[in-house]
């Protein structure tokens, strides 16, 4: 069976939701990277 075709508005809504989900994921990854960087800096300072 062929998948149901979506109309333009549905596609826009779906794409918008996917973009928002991606934005959340990217934000979480950025936060984790910042935390990791802070830990590395703190460890360097302790060793110095």
């Amino acid at each position: 069976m062929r998948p149901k075709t979506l109309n333009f508005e549905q596609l826009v809504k779906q794409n918008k939701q996917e973009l928002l989900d991606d934005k959340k994921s990217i934000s979480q990854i950025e936060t984790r990277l910042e935390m990791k960087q802070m830990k590395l800096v703190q460890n360097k300072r302790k060793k110095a």
Side-chain angles (χ1 to χ4, degrees):
M1 263 173 64
R2 284 179 42 196
K4 181 182 147 200
T5 58
L6 300 175
N7 67 28
F8 182 76
E9 288 82 15
Q10 289 171 319
L11 281 173
V12 169
K13 185 177 179 181
Q14 180 180 335
N15 285 341
K16 188 175 179 181
Q17 186 59 50
E18 287 174 2
L19 285 171
L20 287 172
D21 292 345
D22 287 348
K23 188 175 179 181
K24 287 178 190 174
S25 295
I26 290 170
S27 180
Q28 290 172 345
I29 291 169
E30 287 175 336
T31 301
R32 288 200 302 264
L33 284 171
E34 287 172 6
M35 296 299 285
K36 217 171 211 182
Q37 184 67 28
M38 283 174 37
K39 284 182 181 180
L40 286 171
V41 169
Q42 288 174 349
N43 286 342
K44 266 193 170 175
R45 286 183 181 161
K46 286 180 184 177
K47 289 180 181 179

